[in-house]
Amino acid sequence: MIDKILVANRGEIAVRIIRACKELDIETVAIYSTVDKDALFTQIADEAYCIGPPPSSKSYLNIPAVITVATITDCDAIHPGYGFLAENAKFAEVCEQCGLKFIGPRPELLRLMGDKVASRRAMKKAGTPIVPGSKSVVQHLKGAKRIAQVIGYPVIIKASAGGGGKGMKVVYDEEELEVAFLMARSEAELSFSSPDVYLEKFLENPKHIEVQVVADEFGNVIHLGERECSIQRSHQKIVEEAPSPVIDETTRRKMGRTAVQAAKSIGYTNVGTIEFLYSEGDFYFMEMNTRLQVEHPVTESVTGFDIVKAQIQIASGEKMTVKQKDIQTYGHSIECRLNAESPERNFMPSPGYIRKLVIPGGPGVRFDGGIYQGFSIPPTYDSLIGKLIVHDFDRIEAIQRMRRALDEMIVEGVDTNISLHKKIMNNPVFVAGNYDTGFLNKEIL
Ligand code: MV4
């Protein structure tokens, strides 16, 4: 039984988790850094404790401080949200050792999925299609050359400890390989403290489509369909939708079944996301995210399934009674991520005092945010201030509903990317639905 949860996060996702806890009659403990003292999440939690100064390394990433608060306040579990400690295997282990349930998969699974070479191998073994490429870490230029020759150029070099796009190098011919290989290794070492890299065939402008999975601790695994996440800027998703406007029912079934089979085969528990690259009708495993994701609300909207409540119930040891056949999707959902940043100034962060805030409402509109009028957005963390999510009968109506909601939204005092979202919602390629990861650069920026 879980009666009290420490929420080891901040901002909109801390608010989202606290809301789920309240609906489950679970007490909540918030932790915050000095600049988050007046943030929404600290106010709606039952208890809130300052754990350190603004730099995350001294507050939200400070494992001893987090564990200490959870222990002293008599919490049963810790919800890590996304980012910060959410995919930190060491942290999950420490939680276990301290008698605190980590709300997420077991540490070994966090470790496996954090190692991209190992996760590719595990997925291949599970029968999941992977992008043609190296089977293990590529240590030497000679090995890289050989693999590139076999799979054919262009190839992409990725850091095994990486993910999310950092330190990748695309190579178009053998002449470029040596410099790219050495740079990829040194960047990997600098960013991730490991020089290990691997190679994949480079797919030109693929789509990013991911499948949400839910797994209890008794071996029951279901999927909640896919999300289309191809609208990204510098590897940050901007707009997500469910279902994907491009894949047909056959591909959707196949992707869902593949994701469930993969999760079963590795003994996955709690909620997770399998990310696929989709190109020319085929999909390939890219990485698995072992956490709740920012864009989970579009899936909740079309399925009516509360992903955060499920995380907590699964962590409490409850059996999942919902079966795959009980999952249906209804209508269409779109999410726009609202960032405090200036699209006119190369997306420079725009922290500061929110003088005026009007949050849209009405039929089919959901706002997941961490802000209120009179709050000051600190400059310390990422610029996500909230998410506007709409749901309607079909995609065209959902787009029109999002346009309406964006028109209603007022944020004064800081710059936001609302103008960018309005451009996207009115772009003919977006409206047609057949866009890929090159969309934002090609069509909008
Ligand atoms: C790729 C790729 C093309 N081919 N891998 C970017 C994030 C990281 N997780 C993997 N990424 C990519 N991997 C192969 N073999 C293109 C990307 C990529 C991308 C992927 C998803 C969404 C946006 C992207 C933007 C640029 C590159």
Side-chain angles (χ1 to χ4, degrees), residues 131 156 158 163-165 168 200-204 206 208 229-230 232 235 275 277 286-287 437:
V131 186
I156 184 167
K158 299 182 178 183
M168 305 185 320
E200 279 181 1
K201 172 99 193 155
F202 178 67
L203 310 171
E204 210 69 65
H208 172 136
C229 305
S230 296
Q232 309 199 358
H235 302 298
E275 295 186 337
L277 288 172
M286 176 162 54
E287 40 191 85
T437 49

mmCIF file of all heavy atoms in Angstrom, residues 131 156 158 163-165 168 200-204 206 208 229-230 232 235 275 277 286-287 437, ligand 1:
data_model
loop_
_atom_site.group_PDB
_atom_site.id
_atom_site.type_symbol
_atom_site.label_atom_id
_atom_site.label_comp_id
_atom_site.label_asym_id
_atom_site.label_seq_id
_atom_site.Cartn_x
_atom_site.Cartn_y
_atom_site.Cartn_z
ATOM 1 N N VAL A 131 17.262 -0.455 -36.571
ATOM 2 C CA VAL A 131 17.912 0.116 -37.752
ATOM 3 C C VAL A 131 19.192 -0.687 -38.012
ATOM 4 O O VAL A 131 19.922 -0.987 -37.068
ATOM 5 C CB VAL A 131 18.264 1.613 -37.524
ATOM 6 C CG1 VAL A 131 18.796 2.255 -38.798
ATOM 7 C CG2 VAL A 131 17.069 2.382 -36.980
ATOM 8 N N ILE A 156 24.976 7.084 -39.306
ATOM 9 C CA ILE A 156 24.948 8.015 -38.178
ATOM 10 C C ILE A 156 25.715 7.376 -37.022
ATOM 11 O O ILE A 156 25.579 6.170 -36.779
ATOM 12 C CB ILE A 156 23.484 8.404 -37.809
ATOM 13 C CG1 ILE A 156 23.452 9.450 -36.686
ATOM 14 C CG2 ILE A 156 22.641 7.187 -37.464
ATOM 15 C CD1 ILE A 156 22.071 10.102 -36.513
ATOM 16 N N LYS A 158 26.300 7.379 -33.041
ATOM 17 C CA LYS A 158 25.596 7.785 -31.825
ATOM 18 C C LYS A 158 26.375 7.350 -30.584
ATOM 19 O O LYS A 158 27.048 6.329 -30.610
ATOM 20 C CB LYS A 158 24.195 7.163 -31.771
ATOM 21 C CG LYS A 158 23.285 7.573 -32.912
ATOM 22 C CD LYS A 158 21.892 6.950 -32.758
ATOM 23 C CE LYS A 158 20.977 7.404 -33.884
ATOM 24 N NZ LYS A 158 19.607 6.865 -33.725
ATOM 25 N N GLY A 163 21.533 9.554 -26.140
ATOM 26 C CA GLY A 163 20.089 9.564 -26.271
ATOM 27 C C GLY A 163 19.644 11.004 -26.401
ATOM 28 O O GLY A 163 20.389 11.905 -26.024
ATOM 29 N N GLY A 164 18.433 11.160 -26.958
ATOM 30 C CA GLY A 164 17.901 12.504 -27.126
ATOM 31 C C GLY A 164 18.683 13.356 -28.104
ATOM 32 O O GLY A 164 18.504 14.558 -28.156
ATOM 33 N N GLY A 165 19.559 12.722 -28.911
ATOM 34 C CA GLY A 165 20.150 13.459 -30.027
ATOM 35 C C GLY A 165 21.504 14.077 -29.778
ATOM 36 O O GLY A 165 22.150 14.562 -30.697
ATOM 37 N N MET A 168 25.405 13.236 -31.843
ATOM 38 C CA MET A 168 25.281 12.385 -33.033
ATOM 39 C C MET A 168 26.040 13.011 -34.204
ATOM 40 O O MET A 168 26.133 14.221 -34.311
ATOM 41 C CB MET A 168 23.807 12.246 -33.425
ATOM 42 C CG MET A 168 22.908 11.732 -32.318
ATOM 43 S SD MET A 168 21.213 11.456 -32.878
ATOM 44 C CE MET A 168 20.927 12.835 -33.951
ATOM 45 N N GLU A 200 24.654 3.403 -37.062
ATOM 46 C CA GLU A 200 23.395 2.987 -37.666
ATOM 47 C C GLU A 200 23.332 3.554 -39.077
ATOM 48 O O GLU A 200 23.927 4.591 -39.359
ATOM 49 C CB GLU A 200 22.198 3.574 -36.882
ATOM 50 C CG GLU A 200 21.810 2.819 -35.631
ATOM 51 C CD GLU A 200 20.610 3.460 -34.926
ATOM 52 O OE1 GLU A 200 20.080 4.476 -35.418
ATOM 53 O OE2 GLU A 200 20.205 2.932 -33.891
ATOM 54 N N LYS A 201 22.578 2.907 -39.927
ATOM 55 C CA LYS A 201 22.231 3.479 -41.222
ATOM 56 C C LYS A 201 21.457 4.768 -40.947
ATOM 57 O O LYS A 201 20.582 4.801 -40.080
ATOM 58 C CB LYS A 201 21.367 2.477 -41.988
ATOM 59 C CG LYS A 201 20.782 3.006 -43.257
ATOM 60 C CD LYS A 201 21.607 2.563 -44.442
ATOM 61 C CE LYS A 201 21.224 3.331 -45.697
ATOM 62 N NZ LYS A 201 22.348 3.366 -46.654
ATOM 63 N N PHE A 202 21.795 5.850 -41.633
ATOM 64 C CA PHE A 202 21.087 7.118 -41.404
ATOM 65 C C PHE A 202 19.840 7.185 -42.277
ATOM 66 O O PHE A 202 19.919 7.057 -43.502
ATOM 67 C CB PHE A 202 22.007 8.310 -41.716
ATOM 68 C CG PHE A 202 21.321 9.641 -41.538
ATOM 69 C CD1 PHE A 202 20.926 10.067 -40.274
ATOM 70 C CD2 PHE A 202 21.063 10.454 -42.645
ATOM 71 C CE1 PHE A 202 20.284 11.299 -40.104
ATOM 72 C CE2 PHE A 202 20.428 11.690 -42.473
ATOM 73 C CZ PHE A 202 20.036 12.112 -41.206
ATOM 74 N N LEU A 203 18.694 7.340 -41.634
ATOM 75 C CA LEU A 203 17.433 7.487 -42.361
ATOM 76 C C LEU A 203 17.172 8.978 -42.553
ATOM 77 O O LEU A 203 17.201 9.746 -41.601
ATOM 78 C CB LEU A 203 16.284 6.832 -41.577
ATOM 79 C CG LEU A 203 16.501 5.393 -41.084
ATOM 80 C CD1 LEU A 203 15.375 4.965 -40.154
ATOM 81 C CD2 LEU A 203 16.590 4.445 -42.286
ATOM 82 N N GLU A 204 16.923 9.370 -43.783
ATOM 83 C CA GLU A 204 16.724 10.788 -44.136
ATOM 84 C C GLU A 204 15.306 11.224 -43.705
ATOM 85 O O GLU A 204 14.328 10.603 -44.110
ATOM 86 C CB GLU A 204 16.893 10.892 -45.656
ATOM 87 C CG GLU A 204 17.430 12.182 -46.223
ATOM 88 C CD GLU A 204 18.902 12.485 -45.903
ATOM 89 O OE1 GLU A 204 19.801 11.761 -46.350
ATOM 90 O OE2 GLU A 204 19.106 13.495 -45.210
ATOM 91 N N PRO A 206 13.177 10.918 -41.055
ATOM 92 C CA PRO A 206 12.181 9.928 -40.621
ATOM 93 C C PRO A 206 11.077 10.604 -39.802
ATOM 94 O O PRO A 206 11.211 11.769 -39.435
ATOM 95 C CB PRO A 206 13.005 9.013 -39.715
ATOM 96 C CG PRO A 206 14.057 9.915 -39.143
ATOM 97 C CD PRO A 206 14.372 10.926 -40.204
ATOM 98 N N HIS A 208 9.055 10.444 -36.159
ATOM 99 C CA HIS A 208 9.217 9.910 -34.804
ATOM 100 C C HIS A 208 7.831 9.520 -34.307
ATOM 101 O O HIS A 208 6.984 10.381 -34.085
ATOM 102 C CB HIS A 208 9.852 10.978 -33.902
ATOM 103 C CG HIS A 208 9.903 10.611 -32.447
ATOM 104 N ND1 HIS A 208 11.012 10.833 -31.670
ATOM 105 C CD2 HIS A 208 8.985 10.050 -31.619
ATOM 106 C CE1 HIS A 208 10.775 10.425 -30.431
ATOM 107 N NE2 HIS A 208 9.548 9.943 -30.377
ATOM 108 N N CYS A 229 5.296 12.367 -32.863
ATOM 109 C CA CYS A 229 6.118 13.396 -32.188
ATOM 110 C C CYS A 229 7.167 13.973 -33.118
ATOM 111 O O CYS A 229 8.282 14.297 -32.692
ATOM 112 C CB CYS A 229 6.808 12.799 -30.972
ATOM 113 S SG CYS A 229 5.704 12.024 -29.792
ATOM 114 N N SER A 230 6.858 14.099 -34.401
ATOM 115 C CA SER A 230 7.895 14.502 -35.362
ATOM 116 C C SER A 230 8.188 15.994 -35.348
ATOM 117 O O SER A 230 9.179 16.427 -35.938
ATOM 118 C CB SER A 230 7.494 14.061 -36.771
ATOM 119 O OG SER A 230 7.430 12.652 -36.838
ATOM 120 N N GLN A 232 9.801 18.727 -33.889
ATOM 121 C CA GLN A 232 10.830 18.942 -32.880
ATOM 122 C C GLN A 232 11.762 20.052 -33.318
ATOM 123 O O GLN A 232 11.954 20.295 -34.497
ATOM 124 C CB GLN A 232 11.678 17.667 -32.707
ATOM 125 C CG GLN A 232 10.869 16.411 -32.474
ATOM 126 C CD GLN A 232 11.693 15.296 -31.861
ATOM 127 O OE1 GLN A 232 12.879 15.431 -31.636
ATOM 128 N NE2 GLN A 232 11.034 14.184 -31.578
ATOM 129 N N HIS A 235 16.002 18.617 -31.026
ATOM 130 C CA HIS A 235 15.666 17.392 -30.294
ATOM 131 C C HIS A 235 14.701 17.616 -29.140
ATOM 132 O O HIS A 235 14.583 16.765 -28.253
ATOM 133 C CB HIS A 235 16.939 16.660 -29.841
ATOM 134 C CG HIS A 235 17.818 16.313 -31.009
ATOM 135 N ND1 HIS A 235 17.404 15.472 -32.006
ATOM 136 C CD2 HIS A 235 19.055 16.730 -31.361
ATOM 137 C CE1 HIS A 235 18.351 15.373 -32.921
ATOM 138 N NE2 HIS A 235 19.356 16.128 -32.557
ATOM 139 N N GLU A 275 10.158 4.251 -28.557
ATOM 140 C CA GLU A 275 10.247 5.223 -29.647
ATOM 141 C C GLU A 275 10.682 4.521 -30.914
ATOM 142 O O GLU A 275 11.651 3.762 -30.900
ATOM 143 C CB GLU A 275 11.292 6.299 -29.327
ATOM 144 C CG GLU A 275 10.967 7.174 -28.138
ATOM 145 C CD GLU A 275 11.978 8.326 -27.977
ATOM 146 O OE1 GLU A 275 13.111 8.229 -28.472
ATOM 147 O OE2 GLU A 275 11.607 9.316 -27.342
ATOM 148 N N LEU A 277 11.618 5.041 -35.182
ATOM 149 C CA LEU A 277 11.815 5.863 -36.369
ATOM 150 C C LEU A 277 10.954 5.212 -37.436
ATOM 151 O O LEU A 277 10.991 3.993 -37.609
ATOM 152 C CB LEU A 277 13.284 5.855 -36.805
ATOM 153 C CG LEU A 277 14.260 6.618 -35.917
ATOM 154 C CD1 LEU A 277 15.692 6.353 -36.361
ATOM 155 C CD2 LEU A 277 13.965 8.116 -35.927
ATOM 156 N N MET A 286 14.123 2.899 -31.807
ATOM 157 C CA MET A 286 15.130 3.952 -31.626
ATOM 158 C C MET A 286 15.627 3.937 -30.187
ATOM 159 O O MET A 286 16.787 3.727 -29.935
ATOM 160 C CB MET A 286 14.544 5.313 -31.989
ATOM 161 C CG MET A 286 15.488 6.479 -31.748
ATOM 162 S SD MET A 286 15.048 7.993 -32.611
ATOM 163 C CE MET A 286 13.367 8.255 -32.088
ATOM 164 N N GLU A 287 14.760 4.167 -29.228
ATOM 165 C CA GLU A 287 15.122 4.001 -27.818
ATOM 166 C C GLU A 287 13.867 3.784 -26.990
ATOM 167 O O GLU A 287 12.757 4.001 -27.466
ATOM 168 C CB GLU A 287 15.954 5.175 -27.271
ATOM 169 C CG GLU A 287 15.583 6.557 -27.708
ATOM 170 C CD GLU A 287 16.659 7.591 -27.304
ATOM 171 O OE1 GLU A 287 17.643 7.772 -28.043
ATOM 172 O OE2 GLU A 287 16.480 8.211 -26.255
ATOM 173 N N THR A 437 10.400 14.714 -39.306
ATOM 174 C CA THR A 437 11.244 15.444 -38.348
ATOM 175 C C THR A 437 11.939 16.660 -38.981
ATOM 176 O O THR A 437 12.547 17.452 -38.273
ATOM 177 C CB THR A 437 12.304 14.510 -37.729
ATOM 178 O OG1 THR A 437 12.958 13.789 -38.772
ATOM 179 C CG2 THR A 437 11.658 13.518 -36.782
HETATM 180 C C1 MV4 B 1 18.353 8.748 -36.283
HETATM 181 C C2 MV4 B 1 17.955 9.515 -37.378
HETATM 182 C C3 MV4 B 1 18.090 8.957 -38.628
HETATM 183 N N1 MV4 B 1 18.610 7.718 -38.764
HETATM 184 N N2 MV4 B 1 18.860 7.522 -36.477
HETATM 185 C C4 MV4 B 1 17.556 12.055 -32.948
HETATM 186 C C5 MV4 B 1 17.319 11.837 -31.508
HETATM 187 C C6 MV4 B 1 17.920 10.528 -31.197
HETATM 188 N N3 MV4 B 1 17.153 9.827 -30.208
HETATM 189 C C7 MV4 B 1 17.939 9.804 -32.484
HETATM 190 N N4 MV4 B 1 17.725 10.781 -33.511
HETATM 191 C C8 MV4 B 1 17.773 10.416 -34.804
HETATM 192 N N5 MV4 B 1 18.247 9.189 -35.034
HETATM 193 C C9 MV4 B 1 18.980 7.034 -37.693
HETATM 194 N N6 MV4 B 1 19.493 5.812 -37.845
HETATM 195 C C10 MV4 B 1 17.428 10.778 -37.162
HETATM 196 C C11 MV4 B 1 17.339 11.242 -35.859
HETATM 197 C C12 MV4 B 1 16.794 12.545 -35.725
HETATM 198 C C13 MV4 B 1 15.552 12.743 -35.151
HETATM 199 C C14 MV4 B 1 14.814 11.699 -34.649
HETATM 200 C C15 MV4 B 1 13.590 11.905 -34.087
HETATM 201 C C16 MV4 B 1 13.084 13.178 -34.031
HETATM 202 C C17 MV4 B 1 13.789 14.245 -34.501
HETATM 203 C C18 MV4 B 1 15.032 14.051 -35.060
HETATM 204 C C19 MV4 B 1 15.738 15.128 -35.570
HETATM 205 C C20 MV4 B 1 16.957 14.925 -36.122
HETATM 206 C C21 MV4 B 1 17.492 13.640 -36.199
#
